[in-house]
Amino acid sequence: MIAAVCWVPKGVAKALPDETPRSREELDEALQQGLGEDPAEQSAENEESEDEDGMRVEGDDISTALAAARALKSSGAASAVSDGLAELNMDAYDDENEDIRVFGNGGVSAAYYQHGEKDPYLVDDDDEDEEEIEDKTIKPTDLLIVTAKTEDEVGILEVYIYEENDDNKYVHHEVLLSSIPFSLAWLDCNVNGGDKGNFLAVGTSEPEIEIWDLDLATEVKPVGVLNPDPSKKKKTKSKRKQKTAVLGLAWNYEYRNVLASGSADKAVRVWDVVAQKCEHTLKSHTAEVQSIAWNPKEPTALLSGSYDCSVVLTDMRTPAEAELRWTVSDDVECVAWNPHVSHSFSVGTEEGYVYGFDVRTATKEGPNASIFTLHAHQKATCAVSYNSAAQNLLATASLDKTVKLWDVTNDTPTLVATTSPEVGGIFSASFCKDSPFLMAIGGTTGELHVWNTLTDSNVANRFTSTNANQVAF
């Protein structure tokens, strides 16, 4: 599955991400972590079994670790390897085969070319190198999308290049994670205190948040780890209870060293990513915190949505004071601020509802009425996303396998378009800020879909350049 998708701002990535060679020990450790094993505990066992299982990582290719992890996690992996070796019949490798002529039969295949350029089978290594470099080069016009993917119980970050002009996408590189990923947030704040960079915060089934440098294509370890309790040793997957998963992440565009997280342990945390320290822990909810969002126009306003059927707004300038709280009919799956109107936000719930709220009508005494209530989907509404160019364009996505676009002018939602991409039940959908009418969508099949919403005539006719208002944040 793809649990989360994240657009990387155009132009921030290196044209050629660094590829630092990795030692056998580093790749072995990454592989073991990807399988949920403690490297220290497994070292002795690996020494005994590496010749037998044939799955130890060699060389400096991270794809080898990914392939090995997938193979070991797949059912019947051991028997598949055994069957493959039997088919190769390596015991008879040195036996002569009279039907094979090593030097050909004197025909064209045995021809000798005095000048190499005349040989049609001779490949220029320089040409191959140039093609490989071109494939790895990130062009200024390329858009990048990162997916939080789980395949055969292995957590992976897939970094896609999307070529908008050709409507073409492909995986540029992958990162093997030690745990199952649930949430993503891009940030430019360098955790090492240097200049701006290209980083990704990853929330997983563990309480720690990993920070990865997306400009390091072959990195096997995060460049930073945010741990809510550094005194406790990280648990392995076999001991994990899934009660501390980081389900939501949000980076603060104004205060660039600040990251917020929502967790299955019911807590909201605000982090300093440079100090790698939790600055605030909020206990505003009584159940899992599924979604979290900073207000793009009021950067100290933090919104959190929980399975306790509530949404809480906290002013981080005075976090100890009373918050504003809204209640809905069922578990909150997602929250999103309207980037055009600082006092408005939307909420998606488990029963397929979408609510709109206005902060100006809130009171501290109790629940507040929504400005609109919409039964948008037949199953859980897992994502809501506002378009940064078209002021009243709201997207909702659901486990019912559909994405719907709504015109919410005057707080009266009108259905504009519906699509059913072949990604199964949808967990994540998000508009791109650089190309606002593109939407990245991921779900239960593990496939990434990019929808150009302007190909729908209703969207193109209703949301034109005359009524679009580009918002940069």
Side-chain angles (χ1 to χ4, degrees):
M1 69 175 183
I2 291 178
V5 297
C6 179
W7 291 93
V8 176
K10 186 182 290 186
V12 302
K14 284 186 178 181
L16 280 173
D18 298 333
E19 295 190 358
T20 306
R22 299 297 162 190
S23 68
R24 170 175 172 165
E25 289 74 16
E26 287 177 311
L27 288 172
D28 277 340
E29 182 179 350
L31 172 58
Q32 292 159 12
Q33 289 177 344
L35 297 175
E37 300 171 349
D38 186 330
E41 295 175 358
Q42 291 295 322
S43 59
E45 180 180 344
N46 287 341
E47 288 178 1
E48 296 174 0
S49 62
E50 63 176 304
D51 291 334
E52 179 181 349
D53 60 28
M55 294 301 293
R56 284 295 294 268
V57 178
E58 301 287 351
D60 58 4
D61 188 0
I62 189 63
S63 63
T64 306
L66 286 166
R70 291 176 178 134
L72 287 176
K73 283 292 184 181
S74 299
S75 60
S79 61
V81 172
S82 177
D83 293 343
L85 290 174
E87 183 178 350
L88 289 174
N89 191 22
M90 296 302 292
D91 292 336
Y93 178 80
D94 292 326
D95 295 349
E96 294 184 1
N97 190 330
E98 297 178 356
D99 295 330
I100 298 177
R101 295 171 181 258
V102 178
F103 295 104
N105 55 9
V108 176
S109 62
Y112 168 77
Y113 295 92
Q114 185 174 2
H115 301 287
E117 62 271 12
K118 294 182 180 180
D119 189 343
Y121 299 104
L122 186 63
V123 178
D124 191 337
D125 290 339
D126 292 338
D127 291 341
E128 280 192 336
D129 292 341
E130 290 178 3
E131 290 179 4
E132 184 178 356
I133 292 175
E134 183 177 357
D135 289 340
K136 292 181 179 180
T137 300
I138 301 174
K139 305 178 183 66
T141 56
D142 289 338
L143 294 169
L144 267 66
I145 310 168
V146 185
T147 66
K149 184 173 182 178
T150 301
E151 181 178 329
D152 296 327
E153 298 184 26
V154 177
I156 307 167
L157 296 181
E158 290 184 326
V159 182
Y160 280 84
I161 285 183
Y162 179 72
E163 299 170 330
E164 185 175 3
N165 293 335
D166 300 325
D167 188 25
N168 178 48
K169 66 180 184 296
Y170 60 91
V171 176
H172 182 270
H173 64 275
E174 298 177 319
V175 175
L176 178 65
L177 300 174
S178 61
S179 304
I180 303 301
F182 288 116
S183 54
L184 302 174
W186 181 86
L187 60 154
D188 71 8
C189 181
N190 195 324
V191 298
N192 298 318
D195 295 334
K196 290 185 178 181
N198 180 21
F199 298 92
L200 190 75
V202 183
T204 72
S205 52
E206 303 293 342
E208 297 84 8
I209 299 168
E210 299 178 348
I211 310 294
W212 290 86
D213 189 339
L214 295 179
D215 287 335
L216 299 177
T218 57
E219 190 59 84
V220 296
K221 292 182 180 179
V223 294
V225 176
L226 308 180
N227 192 337
D229 189 353
S231 64
K232 291 184 179 181
K233 183 181 178 181
K234 182 176 179 178
K235 296 180 180 179
T236 63
K237 282 186 181 180
S238 60
K239 301 175 183 178
R240 172 168 38 88
K241 295 183 179 181
Q242 292 273 359
K243 293 183 179 180
T244 55
V246 180
L247 304 175
L249 289 171
W251 176 56
N252 195 304
Y253 293 87
E254 181 70 22
Y255 303 101
R256 295 173 40 253
N257 64 314
V258 175
L259 180 76
S261 65
S263 174
D265 67 1
K266 310 174 188 179
V268 173
R269 294 182 174 86
V270 178
W271 305 83
D272 183 334
V273 297
V274 175
Q276 298 189 29
K277 178 183 178 183
C278 180
E279 297 290 350
H280 300 279
T281 299
L282 308 177
K283 299 290 186 178
S284 306
H285 295 284
T286 59
E288 295 94 327
V289 180
Q290 177 71 11
S291 183
I292 199 157
W294 293 102
N295 190 319
K297 291 183 175 293
E298 301 289 342
T300 62
L302 181 62
L303 199 65
S304 57
S306 168
Y307 282 176
D308 63 7
C309 306
S310 76
V311 179
V312 170
L313 173 59
T314 305
D315 187 342
M316 292 309 301
R317 293 172 298 184
T318 56
E321 296 184 6
E323 311 107 334
L324 297 178
R325 185 183 299 268
W326 294 262
T327 58
V328 293
S329 61
D330 50 299
D331 296 350
V332 174
E333 293 285 349
C334 52
V335 298
W337 287 101
N338 187 335
H340 306 275
V341 184
S342 63
H343 52 75
S344 177
F345 64 90
S346 290
V347 178
T349 72
E350 186 181 26
E351 297 298 325
Y353 284 90
V354 176
Y355 297 87
F357 289 101
D358 189 328
V359 175
R360 298 173 301 178
T361 66
T363 62
K364 297 179 182 180
E365 284 72 25
N368 308 107
S370 61
I371 55 178
F372 69 79
T373 300
L374 174 66
H375 194 189
H377 298 277
Q378 298 304 309
K379 294 185 178 181
T381 301
C382 293
V384 289
S385 179
Y386 282 93
N387 190 286
S388 64
Q391 184 166 346
N392 295 302
L393 179 55
L394 174 68
T396 64
S398 170
L399 288 179
D400 68 8
K401 305 180 181 181
T402 66
V403 179
K404 297 182 179 181
L405 302 181
W406 308 85
D407 185 343
V408 293
T409 302
N410 298 324
D411 300 322
T412 306
T414 301
L415 183 62
V416 177
T418 302
T419 188
S420 299
E422 296 180 357
V423 299
I426 299 168
F427 290 123
S428 184
S430 177
F431 279 117
C432 175
K433 294 183 177 65
D434 291 305
S435 295
F437 290 95
L438 291 179
M439 173 169 279
I441 305 165
T444 55
T445 68
E447 299 296 324
L448 173 68
H449 180 77
V450 179
W451 181 26
N452 182 353
T453 59
L454 287 179
T455 58
D456 187 287
S457 59
N458 290 334
V459 177
N461 292 335
R462 187 180 287 256
F463 300 101
T464 63
S465 59
T466 56
N467 63 8
N469 178 25
Q470 180 70 43
V471 175
F473 61 89

